[in-house]
Amino acid sequence: MIKQIAKHLFIFFVTITFFTSCAKELEEYNKPAVYWYAKIIESISEGSIDKADNYYSSLQSEHVGSPLLPEATMILAIAHIYYEEYLLAEHFLDEYVKRYANSNEREYAEFLKIKAKYLALPNPRRDQVLIQEAIISANKFKSEYPNSMYYSIVDTMLTNLYLAEATLNETIADLYDRIDKPKSAAYYRAIEPQPWIVWSEVDRANTPWYREWFEGDGTASWYGYLLPDTKSVVSRNSVVDTNETK
């Protein structure tokens, strides 16, 4: 009897808690802009970046013309960079540039977009397209803002991106060598590196031991013999020789 009463009481309290929390969520609408802004700041400070995004959606939908929106947009962009969510950071930066930024603010936002792309490349050998996009964005920034206070930083990132691109091309060429695709390997080795870089002084980046076990050192890997003899495994730029069976 006591167990049944305890069970019913437990179910009752769980039900009350559930509906109370739901009611609390339902009450979260039609609030002043400063309320949503404060909730965004509070959530970010607590590390709840997803909740901050939800509060931003409420701020944006209920207060389209609020002067707090531009600042909230930039704060969320920076917060997503801090939490290494670089695609979301770019989304907020694009929103900021399109809707709120003046010329000076646009320069800073464009710089942060390049920084987000750059930081999204902890292992350059894994993303050929992102490297190329980052290089294009960095060159565009240097062209549009030659007197920018961020010019030297962007130039440094661009140099590292060129080095990463050259390393990636050499890695792809090595891979084509291992699967006996000499023409495709030659294609990537024929891509001209930046002439102002002294390539004889550039050393290939070392692969950490915990990644080398699974990925190899960039020149070879333990699973190389498992790779099928197909173009799609390595690159869309694989050179097809119709006169060869390889």
Side-chain angles (χ1 to χ4, degrees):
M1 184 66 179
I2 295 175
K3 288 184 177 180
Q4 286 183 337
I5 293 173
K7 181 179 179 182
H8 287 304
L9 284 173
F10 175 76
I11 294 173
F12 173 77
F13 283 119
V14 169
T15 305
I16 291 297
T17 303
F18 174 76
F19 283 109
T20 301
S21 62
C22 289
K24 186 176 180 181
E25 289 297 324
L26 290 174
E27 290 173 1
E28 295 287 297
Y29 65 90
N30 196 24
K31 300 289 187 181
V34 68
Y35 173 86
W36 298 122
Y37 181 83
K39 283 290 188 180
I40 292 170
I41 301 302
E42 180 184 351
S43 299
I44 292 174
S45 66
E46 294 173 350
S48 302
I49 194 73
D50 291 336
K51 287 178 66 176
D53 288 343
N54 291 333
Y55 288 129
Y56 176 84
S57 297
S58 297
L59 173 62
Q60 191 177 45
S61 59
E62 292 185 10
H63 304 279
V64 179
S66 173
L68 294 174
L69 262 175
E71 188 173 346
T73 306
M74 179 56 74
I75 287 172
L76 275 168
I78 294 173
H80 279 293
I81 290 177
Y82 178 81
Y83 286 104
E84 300 182 357
E85 297 176 346
Y86 302 115
L87 288 177
L88 284 170
E90 280 200 67
H91 164 74
F92 282 102
L93 289 167
D94 284 335
E95 186 78 3
Y96 185 81
V97 169
K98 291 175 184 176
R99 299 185 60 179
Y100 310 120
N102 60 34
S103 57
N104 291 331
E105 293 164 344
R106 183 176 181 273
E107 176 186 334
Y108 179 58
E110 294 292 349
F111 162 70
L112 287 180
K113 285 170 64 177
I114 296 169
K115 182 178 179 180
K117 281 188 172 68
Y118 181 80
L119 292 175
L121 288 164
N123 185 356
R125 284 203 292 265
R126 290 181 179 172
D127 203 324
Q128 184 180 22
V129 174
L130 187 56
I131 291 174
Q132 292 170 349
E133 288 179 355
I135 288 174
I136 291 171
S137 297
N139 277 318
K140 182 179 178 183
F141 183 92
K142 289 175 62 178
S143 176
E144 292 183 357
Y145 306 103
N147 300 316
S148 172
M149 63 183 296
Y150 311 110
Y151 188 96
S152 296
I153 301 174
V154 172
D155 198 41
T156 300
M157 288 191 288
L158 182 59
T159 300
N160 289 334
L161 288 167
Y162 281 137
L163 292 171
E165 185 181 43
T167 299
L168 178 61
N169 288 338
E170 183 60 31
T171 301
I172 294 173
D174 288 341
L175 178 55
Y176 276 123
D177 283 336
R178 295 203 301 274
I179 61 175
D180 197 19
K181 294 283 186 179
K183 289 197 173 183
S184 295
Y187 169 84
Y188 275 95
R189 289 200 173 95
I191 297 175
E192 290 294 328
Q194 298 301 309
W196 47 270
I197 297 177
V198 183
W199 292 100
S200 60
E201 298 178 4
V202 176
D203 296 326
R204 183 191 288 262
N206 294 323
T207 303
W209 63 267
Y210 53 85
R211 281 214 326 260
E212 189 174 341
W213 282 0
F214 302 97
E215 301 178 1
D217 61 359
T219 61
S221 58
W222 65 267
Y223 57 83
Y225 71 95
L226 295 173
L227 292 174
D229 191 19
T230 59
K231 173 181 66 174
S232 59
V233 170
V234 281
S235 173
R236 74 185 88 177
N237 292 323
S238 181
V239 177
V240 178
D241 190 343
T242 55
N243 296 322
E244 295 181 4
T245 57
K246 291 181 180 180

